[in-house]
Amino acid sequence: MKPQIYILLILFSNLCFSQNVENTFLSREVSITKWIDGTLLVPKQNETNKLAIIIAGSGPTDRNGNQNFLKNNSLKKLAEGLTYNGIATFRYDKRIVKQIRQGNVDNNIKFDDFINDASDVITHFKTSNQFSEIYVIGHSQGSLVGMIASQDKVNGFVSLAGAGQNIGDVIIEQVNNTAPMFKEDTEKVVSILKAGKTTNDYPVALSSMFSKDIQPFMISWMAYNPTEIIEALDCPVLVVNGTKDLQVSVKEAELLKQANDNSNLVIIEKMNHVLFEIEGDDLENSKSYNESFREISPTLIENITNFIKS
């Protein structure tokens, strides 16, 4: 077979698979508030009473899991995989995404704004009576956002690559691993921010994390300890992490598991932070953040599906 024909057959088969998957669900745009728009996917063939709300991680992340220069469609693939398995999904753009598109960025945005947005989404679908069971899947920063918003409101919660430590302690650990000469300075700044105060006393090298305009947001984020929040969750909990996650270690997932007796822990071999299974080294891992052609971990879809349907 000629190479050109072989390549065309591969592309055609991939296109057919994509179309077959998309033909299994209905897609609808839903506006929750003036800042929150998202996509609702509902299975076509089988009616479902189960909805999974997917909350994105840090930064200006859209409903598909993408940022300006990083397109991997990880959250879109997660949503489609679950809906293909008979679970309705709703994923939404973070409010900062819409603000950027409209050229109206709120420089006073706080971590609590993300919590309020997630709570509004949960309330919207609880009062719509379209689904009798609501589940929340929080990815990365969205894990903490989701577990706070889910208190006494949902049928189950999934922490996906979420930190177990306070974000201040995570930052200290990351700095110690990458630039240990700044560890002492970082500890001092984090201590001040945890006390609810701002400071000008930080090295220029750390300005991307601690610049004066970022500090109010960091203060609001550091006010929450994930282990304390997840301990109070009175619903089934699934904690998931991957062994090739460059941003959130397996240790963080273990901390969350230990804090909640009603939780299950799943560690997925070779899965990275954007939910792809990586065979190679850290370079391949990093490049995958901008490789939308990759398949999301089938093991992840299977475990979340089983959790929600059990």
Side-chain angles (χ1 to χ4, degrees), residues 56-62 65-68 93-97 100 109 114 139-142 217 221 247:
S58 59
T61 309
D62 69 16
N66 303 328
Q67 297 185 18
N68 280 344
D93 300 329
K94 294 179 69 176
R95 66 163 57 196
I96 188 69
V97 173
I100 290 173
I109 195 168
F114 298 148
H139 177 247
S140 193
Q141 183 194 74
F217 178 83
W221 192 356
Q247 295 173 245

Side-chain angles (χ1 to χ4, degrees), residues 73-116:
N73 283 332
S74 57
L75 299 186
K76 178 182 180 182
K77 293 176 182 183
L78 173 60
E80 291 180 348
L82 293 176
T83 307
Y84 181 75
N85 285 349
I87 299 166
T89 59
F90 179 75
R91 64 191 195 277
Y92 61 93
D93 300 329
K94 294 179 69 176
R95 66 163 57 196
I96 188 69
V97 173
K98 190 166 187 177
Q99 291 176 358
I100 290 173
R101 289 171 180 165
Q102 294 182 347
N104 186 25
V105 176
D106 181 3
N107 293 320
N108 296 313
I109 195 168
K110 300 291 192 301
F111 187 78
D112 287 346
D113 292 323
F114 298 148
I115 297 170
N116 292 336

